[in-house]
């Protein structure tokens, strides 16, 4: 082969390679969704004793075709983030251990799931998490998610505004919020997916170590809570959600330990807010759901154990569900689970029209 012919073949091959790669990159770019971050006012969050704003940040993922097909309507998944997190971290506003839009783009680009809108409210509060519960101290977060937020999104975005096209999901505290809210409102959400849900099990006889008690008693102001360790922060957030006390400034809570002594009445309130304690009351609601799934990593031991209990309860009631325990911890495979399990789950079970 002479040099001129070799050069010609080389440039033909190079041009074809650039064209193919460029087409692939262009195709992926056109399949990227967009993220909007808006404010939604919560009437039921007004006057909360923590002093948190009732105007909440809400991140919204709009699928790739949303702006191209102005007459098309979409199913919606309401996704609840975990304790100490916020919506901005999950949606790439600030760097975090996950970037939800990037995960969703990958799924929609590959065709693993049908397009949908995803909505996440910022539930980060003064005590670092609302627990998605109704309380005078935190505000009525349960009602905000199930009623006010859903109503706002249906009014301002092209949703399919019916329960069969709405899903609810969440990670950790968000998984707790998903089952807490979802089992009460099958008329609003038809399908639930719980990723490593926390706080499922009632534990009224919990023992506190001297070290834990010392850390709790060292908290003197609400600002001290932010500087505390994770366990102490979770204690105050749980109390704000499940044992509020409007007469007890500056925290407006009752803790299950006071002056080093257990408080059985307060522990009972917390136990009553555990989904596995209340689930029998809502079994008829759960039977109305189109689909229910939950999972956890096997190294997330307490959460995996509570999932097994939930699996057994649902099995006893002959309620169809999907339960998986996988190799992993609390966060290391969540992006993979959303990609391979959660989004295909909602694609299958949410009505497209």
């Amino acid at each position: 082969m002479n040099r001129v012919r070799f050069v010609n073949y080389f440039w033909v091959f190079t041009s074809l390679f650039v064209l193919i790669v460029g087409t692939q990159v262009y195709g992926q770019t056109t399949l990227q969704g967009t993220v909007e971050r808006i404010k939604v006012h919560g009437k039921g969050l007004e006057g909360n004793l923590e002093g948190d704003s009732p105007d909440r940040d809400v991140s919204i993922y709009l699928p790739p075709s949303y702006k191209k097909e102005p007459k098309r309507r979409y199913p919606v998944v309401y996704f609840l983030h975990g304790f100490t997190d916020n919506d901005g971290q999950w949606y790439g506003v600030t760097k975090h251990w996950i970037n939800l839009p990037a995960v969703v783009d990958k799924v929609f680009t590959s065709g693993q799931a049908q397009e949908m809108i995803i909505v996440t409210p910022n539930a980060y509060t003064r005590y670092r998490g609302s627990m998605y519960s109704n309380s005078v101290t935190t505000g009525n977060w349960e009602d905000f998610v199930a009623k006010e937020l859903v109503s706002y999104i249906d009014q301002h975005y092209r949703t399919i505004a019916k329960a069969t096209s709405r899903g609810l999901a969440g990670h950790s505290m968000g998984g707790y919020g998903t089952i807490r809210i979802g089992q009460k409102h099958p008329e609003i959400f038809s399908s639930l997916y719980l990723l490593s849900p926390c706080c499922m099990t009632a534990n009224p006889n919990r023992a506190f170590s001297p070290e834990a008690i010392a850390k709790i008693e060292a908290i003197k102001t609400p600002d001290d809570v932010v500087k505390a360790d994770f366990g102490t922060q979770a204690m105050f957030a749980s109390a704000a959600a499940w044992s509020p006390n409007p007469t007890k400034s500056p925290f407006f809570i009752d803790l299950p330990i006071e002056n080093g002594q257990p408080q059985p009445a307060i522990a009972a309130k917390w136990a009553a807010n555990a989904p596995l304690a209340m689930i029998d009351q809502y079994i008829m609601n759960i039977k109305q759901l189109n689909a229910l799934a939950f999972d956890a990593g096997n190294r997330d031991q307490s959460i995996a154990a509570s999932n097994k209990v939930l699996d057994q309860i649902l099995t006893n009631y002959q309620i169809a569900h999907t339960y998986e325990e996988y190799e992993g911890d609390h966060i290391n495979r969540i992006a993979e689970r959303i990609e391979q399990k959660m989004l295909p789950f909602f694609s299958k079970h949410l009505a497209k029209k």
Side-chain angles (χ1 to χ4, degrees):
M1 182 184 295
N2 62 41
R3 185 174 182 277
V4 172
R5 185 175 296 174
F6 172 79
V7 170
N8 286 339
Y9 283 147
F10 173 79
W11 282 112
V12 169
F13 174 79
T14 302
S15 298
L16 286 172
F17 177 79
V18 170
L19 178 62
I20 292 169
V21 172
T23 301
Q24 289 175 341
V25 171
Y26 176 76
Q28 290 176 354
T29 300
T30 59
L31 287 178
Q32 287 181 340
T34 57
V35 173
E36 295 184 357
R37 201 175 191 211
I38 63 172
K39 294 278 189 184
V40 177
H41 182 79
K43 184 71 176 176
L45 302 179
E46 293 177 358
N48 69 83
L49 300 179
E50 286 184 359
D52 294 314
S53 173
D55 297 313
R56 306 306 302 183
D57 288 319
V58 177
S59 287
I60 303 165
Y61 174 93
L62 299 174
S65 65
Y66 188 86
K67 293 184 178 179
K68 299 175 185 177
E69 301 181 32
K71 295 184 179 180
R72 182 175 173 182
R73 292 187 172 273
Y74 298 82
V76 185
V77 172
Y78 290 83
F79 187 90
L80 309 180
H81 67 72
F83 184 64
T84 77
D85 284 352
N86 60 57
D87 66 307
Q89 291 172 324
W90 276 75
Y91 282 72
V93 177
T94 57
K95 190 173 181 179
H96 199 40
W97 56 267
I98 192 169
N99 185 313
L100 184 60
V103 174
V104 180
D105 282 341
K106 182 179 178 182
V107 174
F108 291 162
T109 297
S110 67
Q112 289 175 264
Q114 298 293 317
E115 290 186 348
M116 60 195 81
I117 297 170
I118 302 176
V119 178
T120 299
N122 182 5
Y124 186 95
T125 62
R126 167 165 281 199
Y127 299 141
R128 309 201 72 187
S130 71
M131 307 307 292
Y132 302 103
S133 302
N134 284 352
S135 158
V136 295
T137 303
T138 61
N140 287 348
W141 271 93
E142 186 177 313
D143 292 345
F144 175 70
V145 171
K147 299 175 182 178
E148 295 183 277
L149 181 59
V150 168
S151 176
Y152 182 95
I153 297 299
D154 282 345
Q155 290 174 30
H156 292 83
Y157 292 88
R158 296 198 314 276
T159 67
I160 303 172
K162 55 185 181 180
T164 52
S165 296
R166 288 194 207 101
L168 184 62
H171 172 248
S172 194
M173 178 185 77
Y176 166 83
T178 296
I179 188 65
R180 178 189 179 96
I181 296 170
Q183 69 181 356
K184 296 180 182 180
H185 294 290
E187 80 286 1
I188 298 174
F189 306 103
S190 64
S191 301
L192 313 180
Y193 200 111
L194 289 59
L195 295 152
S196 305
C198 81
C199 319
M200 298 283 285
T201 305
N203 190 10
N205 299 316
R206 176 181 175 183
F208 295 90
S209 68
E211 180 184 12
I213 293 172
K215 289 179 179 179
I216 293 169
E217 293 181 343
I219 303 296
K220 303 300 182 184
T221 70
D223 289 339
D224 291 339
V225 177
V226 179
K227 303 171 188 176
D229 67 289
F230 182 90
T232 304
Q233 291 174 346
M235 178 74 64
F236 276 77
S238 298
W242 305 329
S243 52
N245 186 336
T247 69
K248 213 167 187 177
S249 179
F251 302 108
F252 303 106
I253 63 174
D254 285 319
L255 290 165
I257 189 92
E258 187 172 5
N259 298 321
Q261 298 301 313
Q263 304 297 307
I266 305 307
K269 289 185 177 183
W270 286 32
N273 281 275
L276 295 181
M278 67 172 83
I279 191 169
D280 299 283
Q281 303 170 41
Y282 297 105
I283 283 297
M284 297 309 295
N285 286 352
I286 293 174
K287 286 185 175 182
Q288 295 178 45
L289 296 172
N290 287 349
L292 171 60
F294 48 97
D295 59 29
N298 59 358
R299 297 199 299 275
D300 203 3
Q301 293 181 0
S302 63
I303 288 177
S306 66
N307 271 1
K308 288 179 182 178
V309 176
L310 177 58
D311 170 55
Q312 188 59 59
I313 291 172
L314 295 174
T315 299
N316 291 346
Y317 279 110
Q318 299 182 333
I319 295 175
H321 62 283
T322 300
Y323 158 62
E324 292 186 62
E325 185 174 310
Y326 56 88
E327 176 64 35
D329 59 30
H330 195 58
I331 64 172
N332 71 330
R333 294 181 65 187
I334 296 302
E336 175 188 317
R337 301 299 295 183
I338 291 173
E339 174 191 343
Q340 298 181 5
K341 300 294 182 176
M342 189 194 88
L343 289 172
F345 166 87
F346 284 121
S347 178
K348 177 181 178 181
H349 293 291
L350 296 184
K352 313 303 186 297
K353 58 184 179 179

